Amino acid sequence: MVAPDQWPTDVPPSGTASWYVRTEELQHHRWRVRCHVNDRHPDGELIADPGELHDTFLLWDADLDEAGRPVLSVNPAVSPGAPPMWFVHLDERDTDPPATLLVAFASDHLPPGTVVSDPVFFSMPVRNDQQVGAIRWWHGDAVVDQLFVREDLRRLHVGTVLIYAASAFHQFNGWAGRLHSDGRRTHLGEALVTGLRHPDRIARLQQLMPPMDPGTATT
């Protein structure tokens, strides 16, 4: 994991390529993996031999903590004002196509970036309506389906953290592809993707989707 004082702060221009480097294979086909930003390699590629990394911008890091829980850390330089968040992971295996959700909470119940399962969350003294945002994507296609940010926290880069955390979790699980949008978005999703770093990953809006209901994001 990255210490707070080790994150680079010189954010590259929007559109600079981001690519992934696996640092260690874990159980269950998962990986310690990092996302670096630099035009040395193509955007969205998994790089086996990246060479020296001192001149790259580290965007996010996916790791495990001592308890074996995933930890998704996003460089705070790209999300100024966003509160520290931890996440609840939900699988929607019975949907077509199957989907993955990360629901974000900004309390001190867990260290920032920690990911827990829905059953673990159910036993915690945290209410579902305390969530600050959520993201849902079809992991088989790496397509973001829905994005929600609580109204009082919009414009604080919570959506940015959610998108990069989802990207980190996607790569952590060894799923194929780079997270992107296929043109189906909610009103909020359309507003959030406007300022993202990789416009080539965002297809033109083609279908307006219903708002993401925070009341159904966790059980």
Side-chain angles (χ1 to χ4, degrees):
M1 287 181 279
V2 183
D5 61 350
Q6 292 180 339
W7 288 106
T9 57
D10 190 10
V11 181
S14 177
T16 306
S18 296
W19 33 272
Y20 316 118
V21 178
R22 291 172 171 174
T23 59
E24 183 182 352
E25 186 172 5
L26 305 168
Q27 292 182 333
H28 310 299
H29 307 290
R30 301 185 300 177
W31 297 85
R32 284 190 169 94
V33 59
R34 289 182 167 183
C35 179
H36 294 267
V37 182
N38 184 290
D39 282 329
R40 182 194 311 167
H41 299 292
D43 184 59
E45 292 292 313
L46 185 62
I47 307 302
D49 185 13
E52 292 292 331
L53 297 172
H54 66 275
D55 61 341
T56 69
F57 178 83
L58 181 59
L59 180 59
W60 54 251
D61 173 80
D63 205 337
L64 289 178
D65 65 11
E66 294 180 353
R69 301 174 300 195
V71 178
L72 313 174
S73 303
V74 177
N75 190 324
V78 301
S79 56
M85 291 176 276
W86 52 272
F87 308 97
V88 180
H89 165 227
L90 296 94
D91 273 325
E92 292 189 350
R93 300 179 182 179
D94 296 331
T95 60
D96 185 20
T100 296
L101 285 89
L102 286 179
V103 184
F105 293 84
S107 69
D108 59 1
H109 292 88
L110 290 171
T114 304
V115 181
V116 296
S117 65
D118 196 32
V120 171
F121 173 78
F122 185 77
S123 67
M124 296 175 62
V126 186
R127 300 191 316 272
N128 180 57
D129 61 7
Q130 291 177 271
Q131 66 179 267
V132 299
I135 186 169
R136 181 181 188 268
W137 72 101
W138 298 311
H139 52 268
D141 299 317
V143 172
V144 175
D145 173 38
Q146 294 180 336
L147 182 64
F148 163 77
V149 176
R150 201 173 72 195
E151 188 171 1
D152 62 316
L153 291 175
R154 293 171 189 174
R155 301 183 182 275
L156 293 179
H157 297 95
V158 171
T160 299
V161 175
L162 281 165
I163 290 170
Y164 290 140
S167 178
F169 196 65
H170 190 87
Q171 298 300 325
F172 171 83
N173 281 283
W175 296 330
R178 60 181 188 178
L179 223 59
H180 64 285
S181 168
D182 67 350
R184 291 175 285 183
R185 292 187 285 278
T186 64
H187 276 296
L188 176 60
E190 177 66 8
L192 287 170
V193 301
T194 301
L196 286 182
R197 300 190 48 78
H198 303 100
D200 58 313
R201 300 190 187 189
I202 310 300
R204 183 175 59 84
L205 180 64
Q206 298 175 353
Q207 181 180 354
L208 195 62
M209 303 296 288
M212 191 174 188
D213 180 5
T216 61
T218 62
T219 58

